[in-house]
Amino acid sequence: MKKKLLTIAVTAAMVFSLVACGSNGGSNETKAVETSASETAAESAVSEGDGEKTLKAGATTGFFGAESLDPANNWDGWIMSIYGISENLFRLDDNLAPQPWLVDSYENTDDTTWVFTLKDGITFSNGNAVTAEAVKKCFERTYSNNTRAASTLKIDSMEADGQILTIHTPEANPTILNDLCDPMFGVYDAESEIDPELGASCTGPYVATAFTAMTEVKMDKNSNYWGGEPAIDHIELKIMDDVDALNMALQNGEIDMIAQLPAASASLFSDTDTYTIGAATSTRSQFLQFNLESEALKDVNIRKAISMCIDREGYADVVFAGYAKPSYGIYPDTLSYGGTDGINLSVDKYDTEAAKALVEAAGYTPEKPLELKLVTYSYNTGLLQMTDMLQPELEAIGIKLSIETYDVLDDVLQAGNFDIAALSYALAPTGNAQYLINMLFVSDGTDNYGHY
């Protein structure tokens, strides 16, 4: 009997890093490994019945978990892009360079004016034509519904004429093409009512047929897809935050693929006759965000002490089984603007003795510890392992760390009900170096939960 080929997409969720949100604090980042299976591998994993192909895949909330199928809602546009439902005017190539996708051509006519000519013949999944006016209304709705839109791409005004969309920016923006790759700016039919369950009509190769928030989505191929007939007829995606259950589901044939398998699980699927593992480097990283409204964390030496207790090298080797790389800079050295050359780092190694001295100088000891609360995602296995490893390290130097986990962190972070947040972000998902800075370090940044 011919063995069925299954596919795993492995993410070595990046080594622990620290973004010290303070004027004198050191900041540390990591290189990440994030993966996706190739189309060929995905096709080989599908089951066939009645001559049609069905792909069943599983992942944790962080990769498959959407609150809705509305691209303008929170981060759902990103998940819909992963699903294959939504597409953008531009998309990144393997070198993180933006390339036209729904756009046929474009021109930068002056410092603040960009003219985009859309491809002819593209329709939304409901059959309505994708015109410049439709894209304009889509962007207008997204700006009204998503607070991140204005900080990601500032638009002064837009004009639509047939297939020509003109965007005026308030100032010169040389990264506008990168910004338009952000899945938050996925193109959808804003003129039609958005279905409360099945969401917006988009241009991607797949269309939702059933959706349960944070649980599962079922899709069929889009019969109106402009890019050719999709290779797989039906797709079923399941959210499973219990990693052991996720692994077992693949092993017993309940699913055909795991997306973003924790690196620690990769050894379970080393049989190359049965499984195919794909891996690629990304800019995703795990990091700490300090809440500068927390009195103790206003002290730069407390922040430095915590940073010194982060064993980046050990986490890379143990938690991520070598799939991640430690780094002490904001951006990984895989990016042209990354690495730490020329940067005067305040923390450049794992040093618990030096950390203990700083904490003692601030008046804390293991007998009279500083108590701090750390919050993180309940489903991110790598972060949970790392924070569990960090907890006794800090206790030994006089910091008692309590850890609370949440399926959705947004409300907790917004309320400021934490001292430290352990987070996972793609640092430059659109190739734009300013992306992370705008969100985390600009005073009114949408994700500046640390009040930098």
Side-chain angles (χ1 to χ4, degrees):
M1 179 181 294
K2 183 178 178 180
K3 290 186 177 180
K4 184 178 180 182
L5 178 64
L6 306 181
T7 303
I8 310 167
V10 181
T11 293
M14 316 56 287
V15 194
F16 218 161
S17 58
L18 171 73
V19 173
C21 298
S23 57
N24 297 313
S27 56
N28 310 284
E29 257 308 339
T30 68
K31 172 183 174 184
V33 177
E34 189 172 77
T35 68
S36 58
S38 68
E39 291 183 12
T40 301
E43 286 183 51
S44 66
V46 301
S47 56
E48 296 192 33
D50 301 324
E52 295 191 337
K53 295 180 178 180
T54 299
L55 172 66
K56 298 180 180 181
T60 60
T61 299
F63 199 61
F64 279 171
E67 298 173 337
S68 72
L69 294 182
D70 180 350
N73 181 63
N74 203 3
W75 292 89
D76 289 342
W78 287 79
I79 307 299
M80 292 176 67
S81 177
I82 291 171
Y83 290 167
I85 292 176
S86 66
E87 297 179 317
N88 285 51
L89 297 182
F90 289 78
R91 67 187 300 181
L92 297 178
D93 62 17
D94 292 341
N95 298 313
L96 295 182
Q99 303 295 336
W101 191 244
L102 301 180
V103 166
D104 187 52
S105 63
Y106 63 95
E107 184 180 6
N108 184 199
T109 57
D110 60 46
D111 286 349
T112 60
T113 304
W114 294 77
V115 180
F116 303 95
T117 301
L118 305 180
K119 290 180 178 177
D120 288 320
I122 299 179
T123 65
F124 296 108
S125 57
N126 60 11
N128 292 339
V130 176
T131 63
E133 183 64 25
V135 175
K136 177 175 177 287
K137 289 183 177 180
C138 161
F139 285 177
E140 289 171 344
R141 181 180 178 275
T142 295
Y143 274 81
S144 297
N145 290 19
N146 197 313
T147 56
R148 292 198 327 277
S151 62
T152 301
L153 171 57
K154 292 180 172 63
I155 293 179
D156 192 36
S157 63
M158 291 183 286
E159 300 157 10
D161 181 10
Q163 294 300 99
I164 298 176
L165 175 69
T166 301
I167 295 179
H168 301 281
T169 59
E171 57 195 22
N173 181 5
T175 64
I176 187 172
L177 304 185
N178 296 81
D179 300 335
L180 288 170
C181 293
D182 189 317
M184 176 172 52
F185 296 116
V187 176
Y188 60 94
D189 186 359
E191 297 180 277
S192 298
E193 184 177 355
I194 294 179
D195 188 287
E197 177 191 357
L198 302 181
S201 294
C202 301
T203 67
Y206 291 95
V207 178
T209 58
F211 172 76
T212 303
M214 299 297 187
T215 303
E216 68 174 354
V217 60
K218 295 182 180 180
M219 300 178 291
D220 287 345
K221 61 184 179 183
N222 179 4
S223 59
N224 291 320
Y225 187 54
W226 63 277
E229 183 177 1
I232 299 172
D233 300 285
H234 312 287
I235 296 180
E236 299 178 12
L237 306 179
K238 299 178 182 295
I239 295 171
M240 305 174 72
D241 286 328
D242 183 329
V243 174
D244 291 335
L246 187 63
N247 294 340
M248 189 174 297
L250 182 61
Q251 291 170 322
N252 66 24
E254 181 183 343
I255 58 177
D256 307 309
M257 175 190 291
I258 293 176
Q260 284 201 317
L261 180 76
S265 300
S267 60
L268 297 174
F269 305 102
S270 58
D271 180 359
T272 56
D273 291 334
T274 306
Y275 306 103
T276 296
I277 297 180
T281 300
S282 86
T283 67
R284 177 165 291 277
S285 178
Q286 318 283 23
F287 61 91
L288 296 185
Q289 187 176 54
F290 293 139
N291 184 355
L292 294 188
E293 297 297 317
S294 172
E295 193 63 34
L297 294 178
K298 292 178 180 179
D299 185 344
V300 62
N301 289 320
I302 294 296
R303 300 197 302 272
K304 287 175 67 174
I306 295 171
S307 181
M308 288 175 177
C309 289
I310 299 172
D311 184 7
R312 296 162 181 78
E313 291 77 9
Y315 294 161
D317 292 338
V318 176
V319 177
F320 297 112
Y323 279 96
K325 180 182 177 182
S327 178
Y328 290 80
I330 289 286
Y331 294 107
D333 56 15
T334 51
L335 294 171
S336 61
Y337 44 81
T340 59
D341 288 348
I343 297 176
N344 183 21
L345 297 171
S346 61
V347 176
D348 59 7
K349 63 182 178 180
Y350 170 65
D351 190 344
T352 56
E353 288 302 313
K356 186 175 182 181
L358 290 174
V359 172
E360 288 179 348
Y364 303 102
T365 67
E367 292 72 34
K368 292 180 59 179
L370 166 64
E371 297 188 8
L372 298 174
K373 180 170 74 173
L374 181 148
V375 297
T376 191
Y377 318 99
S378 61
Y379 53 82
N380 190 312
T381 306
L383 272 177
L384 292 173
Q385 285 182 273
M386 290 187 294
T387 51
D388 282 345
M389 293 169 69
L390 180 64
Q391 193 174 41
E393 297 271 19
L394 294 182
E395 186 172 357
I397 68 168
I399 297 176
K400 184 177 181 181
L401 189 70
S402 63
I403 300 172
E404 295 183 5
T405 64
Y406 299 85
D407 291 342
V408 179
L409 269 179
D410 295 11
D411 292 342
V412 177
L413 296 173
Q414 198 69 50
N417 188 24
F418 69 98
D419 297 300
I420 306 171
L423 305 174
S424 175
Y425 278 57
L427 306 183
T430 64
N432 181 0
Q434 197 68 23
Y435 177 89
L436 183 76
I437 303 301
N438 286 344
M439 286 199 302
L440 266 64
F441 299 111
V442 172
S443 297
D444 60 354
T446 56
D447 292 38
N448 184 11
Y449 303 117
H451 305 286
Y452 179 78

